């Protein structure tokens, strides 16, 4: 039986190694999917909402926030960096699509690892997802504050004082706008999955229109000389930029965190993941080409509101800054949603405290989870600079994606009988390329990022052995 092949170690398997490798059967993962303390998550999301959730979590971050850091590395070849990061994301997206259709639960890659590689690997993956989702919300919120200042400057000629709009490392005391946008996203999420999905859909449509408007205005101002030299720092610069820009693609897996709230997850989750990735990659490349064509690549240094600077002080710049505020708020909303659902799944399995899986009876959302996570991330956004947050997010994401690619190969060999509504092509070649590309981008990141990642992993292992291993639902 498939379930027997995936059954967790029990009884005679009481040694440390058996405990670390115990797996949760796919059937049990699906059966427990939305079940929390005092209720269940409500299945209310269709293909359109799931696609918009994925686009909402993805579209905007790299273009509106991180582009100013990537262009000085890649020069006019920044579009190539987007393509490299996009191909890396695609390789992993194919694996995500297969697993999301086969194991349609809120845990995303954490749950996939639990079914294939065991509890310790699942914990490590979930811990990386906390870094990916939680820290990326804070990073994007920091960029949101920059566009608020940009819009105020364009409209009324004033901006928030630096002491209240920048973290300590960037010359301020607290980034109040960054904390404020996290609080607004929290309020939307507390209203329920369907209601927050409607808010997100409206914001996605606004930010897509904003980027199309930018392309129209910027392509009209393109100067041929701005594309020469194409790769001023060589392929090394492009690779370094791609490592940073991979941060821009993390949102496509947000749809997989909605597995317990999708009406037809086996059909809709794979479609939503692939559709969203294609849409955002095309827009990213178009906007990047328009931006470096309209403004010389050396002028991007030191700006976190790069697209607004490209257009100067025109009416288009005002509209762009307003659209960017909506766009980045959408990313904060959807990625914060994903973080709460990851913790919900880990709590349901006993690896983190039960308060994170407690369901509010009226709204059907994990209220305590949402309040606690939002409060922590708001503080993080208020005091930590953007660059450090973005790089930390990228390395955590890449590690989690590598595990997802491995999970596809393991399940193909261990349980070929399981129904798959979507099948990744050329397995194990495509997942292997996914792992290699993730490793390539991970090693393009700097030593400080690796040190921070190592410290985060050590902290995570400490938490697992102190709490998770003893409280695991499989421990009995």
């Amino acid at each position: 039986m498939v379930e027997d092949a995936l059954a967790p170690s029990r009884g005679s398997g009481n040694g440390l190694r058996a405990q670390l490798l115990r797996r949760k059967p796919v059937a049990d993962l699906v059966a427990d999917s939305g079940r929390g303390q005092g209720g269940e998550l409500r299945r209310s999301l269709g293909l359109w909402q799931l696609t918009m959730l994925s686009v909402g979590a993805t579209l905007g971050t790299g273009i509106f926030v991180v582009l100013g850091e990537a262009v000085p590395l890649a020069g006019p070849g920044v579009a190539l960096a987007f393509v490299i990061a996009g191909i890396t994301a695609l390789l992993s997206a194919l694996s995500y699509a297969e697993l999301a259709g086969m194991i349609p639960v809120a845990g995303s890659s954490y749950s996939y690892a639990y079914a294939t590689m065991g509890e310790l690997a699942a914990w490590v993956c979930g811990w990386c997802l906390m870094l990916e989702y939680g820290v990326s919300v804070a990073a994007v919120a920091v960029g949101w504050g920059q566009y608020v200042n940009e819009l105020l400057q364009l409209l009324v000629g004033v901006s928030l004082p630096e002491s209240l709009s920048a973290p300590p490392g960037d010359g301020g005391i607290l980034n109040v706008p960054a904390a404020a946008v996290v609080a607004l996203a929290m309020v939307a999420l507390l209203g329920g999955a369907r209601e927050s999905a409607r808010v997100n859909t409206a914001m996605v449509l606004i930010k897509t229109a904003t980027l199309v408007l930018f392309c129209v205005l910027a392509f009209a101002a393109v100067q041929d000389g701005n594309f020469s030299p194409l790769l001023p720092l060589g392929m090394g610069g492009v690779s370094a930029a791609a490592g940073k820009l991979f941060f821009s693609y993390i949102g496509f897996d947000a749809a997989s965190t909605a597995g317990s709230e999708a009406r037809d997850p086996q059909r809709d989750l794979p479609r939503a993941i692939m559709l969203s990735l294609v849409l955002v990659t095309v827009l990213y490349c178009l906007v990047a080409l328009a931006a470096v064509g309209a403004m010389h690549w050396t002028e991007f240094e030191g700006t976190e509101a790069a697209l607004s600077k490209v257009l100067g002080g025109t009416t288009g710049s005002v509209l762009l800054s307003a659209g960017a505020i909506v766009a980045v708020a959408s990313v904060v909303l959807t990625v914060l949603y994903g973080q709460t659902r990851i913790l919900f799944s880990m709590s349901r399995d006993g690896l983190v405290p039960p308060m994170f899986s407690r369901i509010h009876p009226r709204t059907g959302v994990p209220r305590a989870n949402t309040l606690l996570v939002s409060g922590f991330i708001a503080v993080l956004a208020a005091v930590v600079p953007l660059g450090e947050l973005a790089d930390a997010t990228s390395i955590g994401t890449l590690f989690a994606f590598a595990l997802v690619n491995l999970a596809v190969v393991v399940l193909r060999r261990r349980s070929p009988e399981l129904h798959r509504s979507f099948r990744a092509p050329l397995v194990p070649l495509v997942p292997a390329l996914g792992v290699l590309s993730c490793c390539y981008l991970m090693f393009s990141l700097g030593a400080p990022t690796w040190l921070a990642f190592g410290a985060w992993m050590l902290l995570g292992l400490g938490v697992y052995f102190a709490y998770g291993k003893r409280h695991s639902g499989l421990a009995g």
Side-chain angles (χ1 to χ4, degrees):
M1 296 290 293
V2 173
E3 289 80 0
D4 293 336
L6 294 175
S9 301
R10 296 185 186 275
S12 60
N14 291 324
L16 178 61
R17 182 175 181 274
Q19 292 173 7
L20 299 183
L21 296 178
R22 56 195 175 195
R23 300 184 300 271
K24 187 168 183 177
V26 172
D28 288 355
L29 283 167
V30 175
D32 294 342
S33 176
R35 189 178 303 157
Q37 298 285 328
E40 293 189 15
L41 299 175
R42 298 173 183 171
R43 293 195 176 274
S44 59
L45 306 179
L47 176 60
W48 173 251
Q49 291 93 341
L50 291 169
T51 303
M52 290 299 99
L53 175 66
S54 189
V55 173
T58 311
L59 183 59
T61 311
I63 288 296
F64 287 108
V65 178
V66 189
L67 186 66
E69 295 188 6
V71 172
L73 295 172
V78 68
L80 178 58
F82 269 115
V83 171
I84 292 173
I87 290 173
T88 303
L90 174 62
L91 293 170
S92 296
L94 292 167
S95 294
Y96 259 99
E98 175 168 327
L99 293 174
M102 185 171 56
I103 312 174
V105 298
S108 185
S109 51
Y110 154 78
S111 295
Y112 311 152
Y114 215 162
T116 55
M117 289 174 278
E119 187 169 282
L120 180 61
W123 171 267
V124 169
C125 191
W127 195 250
C128 285
L129 289 173
M130 290 188 205
L131 186 68
E132 170 189 345
Y133 283 90
V135 178
S136 68
V137 173
V140 176
V142 171
W144 188 82
Q146 298 296 324
Y147 274 100
V148 168
N149 261 342
E150 186 78 14
L151 183 61
L152 288 173
Q153 187 66 41
L154 290 169
L155 289 176
V156 296
V158 299
S159 58
L160 296 173
E162 188 175 34
S163 61
L164 298 179
S165 60
D170 285 347
I173 298 175
L174 285 176
N175 192 331
V176 175
V181 71
V182 176
L184 291 172
M186 176 191 72
V187 172
L189 290 176
L190 289 174
R194 178 183 295 176
E195 291 72 15
S196 55
R198 288 172 178 168
V199 173
N200 172 65
T201 297
M203 290 194 289
V204 168
L205 294 176
I206 291 172
K207 68 181 176 182
T208 301
T210 300
L211 290 175
V212 170
L213 173 64
F214 171 83
C215 287
V216 171
L217 296 175
F219 274 124
V222 165
Q223 302 178 37
D224 291 340
N226 286 347
F227 290 103
S228 180
L230 183 63
L231 305 178
L233 301 180
M235 280 305 298
V238 172
S239 297
K244 284 185 175 292
L245 290 174
F246 189 80
F247 171 78
S248 312
Y249 287 93
I250 69 168
F252 77 79
D253 63 329
S256 66
T257 67
S260 299
E261 291 161 286
R263 289 196 296 266
D264 189 353
Q266 286 87 353
R267 184 195 69 180
D268 292 341
L269 288 178
R271 294 180 182 181
I273 289 170
M274 301 310 298
L275 278 172
S276 63
L277 187 60
V278 170
L279 286 171
V280 299
T281 301
V282 170
L283 269 174
Y284 277 162
C285 291
L286 287 174
V287 173
L289 285 172
V292 296
M295 186 171 79
H296 197 269
W297 68 276
T298 56
E299 298 178 41
F300 283 81
E301 185 77 40
T303 178
E304 292 171 356
L307 299 191
S308 183
K309 184 177 179 180
V310 169
L311 296 182
T314 64
T315 302
S317 183
V318 174
L319 294 174
L320 180 76
S321 293
I325 289 172
V326 175
V328 178
S330 173
V331 177
V332 171
L333 172 66
T334 49
V335 179
L336 183 59
Y337 167 88
Q339 172 68 96
T340 60
R341 272 41 178 189
I342 295 294
L343 278 169
F344 171 87
S345 295
M346 297 179 73
S347 175
R348 176 203 62 206
D349 294 334
L351 300 185
V352 298
M355 72 178 71
F356 290 100
S357 57
R358 192 174 299 139
I359 301 293
H360 190 268
R362 182 176 60 83
T363 60
V365 300
R367 173 178 282 190
N369 180 343
T370 303
L371 289 170
L372 288 169
V373 171
S374 300
F376 174 78
I377 292 174
V379 172
L380 192 66
V383 300
V384 181
L386 169 66
E388 297 174 22
L389 289 170
D391 285 352
T393 301
S394 290
I395 196 167
T397 304
L398 289 163
F399 190 85
F401 282 12
L403 289 180
V404 169
N405 283 293
L406 289 174
V408 167
V409 178
V410 171
L411 272 182
R412 283 285 187 98
R413 293 192 175 186
R414 181 180 290 137
S415 302
E417 304 91 344
L418 284 175
H419 173 68
R420 292 163 171 83
S421 58
F422 176 90
R423 296 180 68 89
L426 301 176
V427 175
L429 177 60
V430 167
L433 290 174
V435 172
L436 290 174
S437 60
C438 286
C439 292
Y440 171 73
L441 290 184
M442 286 177 73
F443 285 108
S444 73
L445 298 171
T449 302
W450 275 96
L451 289 173
F453 181 66
W456 178 255
M457 286 293 99
L458 288 175
L459 175 62
L461 290 174
V463 173
Y464 171 73
F465 283 103
Y467 182 91
K469 186 172 77 71
R470 294 188 294 110
H471 293 83
S472 168
L474 301 183

